[in-house]
Amino acid sequence: QVQLVESGGGLVKPGGSLRLSCTASGFIFSDYYMSWIRQAPGQGLEWVAYISNSASTIYYADSVKGRFTISRDNAKNSLYLQMNSLRADDTAVYYCAREGSLDYWGQGTLVTVSS
Amino acid sequence: QSVLTQPPSVSGTPGQRVTISCSGSGSNIGSNFVYWYQQFPGTAPKLLIYRNNQRPSGVPDRFSGSKSGTSASLAISGLRSEDEADYYCAAWDDSLKVFGTGTKVTVL
């Protein structure tokens, strides 16, 4: 069965960095585009970034452009989100999801940016 | 920032039919497929409708999607208590993916 498992969340100070990982199983990871989506506490869903299966196409939300970097390692069935210059408003649960339709989501990992 | 507008809440009694609207523009809903997601508190969203009106396997046929112009709708017929959740629409807008503002469905 398809599984997506995020890790790497935690508490970080404003201006700090964090790297999230998403490990995929149950499908041919290298065939699928992937996205990161986040949800601030008590708020709605916000798409963050998207990467094609070969990493040749990458898109970012304006709110994270220049600070976040999405990447993938198909050999390791893994998706990453490098987050730099973190701000308080980046505090959220971060989900990875399989593209096409966002038909499968991970359980999410909480990132808290606070001093 | 959401550019798809949904009503904050809708409610209905068991067995009723409720609809959730999703209003966008020509660059998103007007040009691309619409997707709908259901989310229960503390859990990840689940795909409910893809490509405007297609249901993934396992999604009851009580849920249906439609699109007209720059707006879309999700209908829930035969409302059940377990349908009480948050619902989000989504669509591509050029190279950005946009989600709706979200709608809380309450079963009275």
Side-chain angles (χ1 to χ4, degrees), chain B residues 8-50:
Chain B
S9 63
V10 300
S11 62
T13 56
Q16 237 183 347
R17 182 178 187 271
V18 298
T19 61
I20 301 169
S21 60
C22 175
S23 178
S25 67
S27 63
N28 42 65
I29 292 178
S31 311
N32 297 289
F33 290 123
V34 177
Y35 302 82
W36 289 92
Y37 302 91
Q38 177 190 56
Q39 186 181 33
F40 296 104
T43 69
K46 168 191 167 184
L47 177 66
L48 211 54
I49 297 288
Y50 66 100

Side-chain angles (χ1 to χ4, degrees), chain A residues 39 59-60 99-102 106, chain B residues 35 37 39 44 88 95-97:
Chain A
Q39 187 169 34
Y59 301 138
Y60 296 100
E99 270 294 354
S101 304
L102 300 180
Chain B
Y35 302 82
Y37 302 91
Q39 186 181 33
Y88 296 91
S95 58
L96 304 176
K97 178 162 283 187

Side-chain angles (χ1 to χ4, degrees), chain B residues 36-86:
Chain B
W36 289 92
Y37 302 91
Q38 177 190 56
Q39 186 181 33
F40 296 104
T43 69
K46 168 191 167 184
L47 177 66
L48 211 54
I49 297 288
Y50 66 100
R51 294 189 178 186
N52 301 333
N53 54 19
Q54 302 299 302
R55 278 186 311 276
S57 61
V59 172
D61 59 6
R62 303 184 293 104
F63 294 92
S64 62
S66 64
K67 179 183 122 170
S68 178
T70 59
S71 292
S73 292
L74 174 71
I76 309 174
S77 57
L79 192 66
R80 302 175 70 158
S81 58
E82 58 259 40
D83 299 331
E84 190 161 287
D86 294 324

Side-chain angles (χ1 to χ4, degrees), chain A residues 8 12 15 18 24 27 31 43 45 50 54 65-67 70-72 86 97 103-105 110:
Chain A
V12 60
L18 212 54
F27 66 102
D31 282 351
Q43 301 301 308
L45 300 172
Y50 161 101
S54 65
K65 199 174 295 183
R67 300 188 300 122
I70 188 172
S71 62
R72 65 190 296 160
L86 283 162
D103 56 350
Y104 288 94
W105 297 60
L110 177 62

Side-chain angles (χ1 to χ4, degrees), chain A residues 50-81:
Chain A
Y50 161 101
I51 187 169
S52 64
N53 60 334
S54 65
S56 59
T57 299
I58 288 174
Y59 301 138
Y60 296 100
D62 290 343
S63 57
V64 306
K65 199 174 295 183
R67 300 188 300 122
F68 289 13
T69 302
I70 188 172
S71 62
R72 65 190 296 160
D73 185 336
N74 287 340
K76 294 184 178 179
N77 289 342
S78 293
L79 174 73
Y80 306 103
L81 187 67

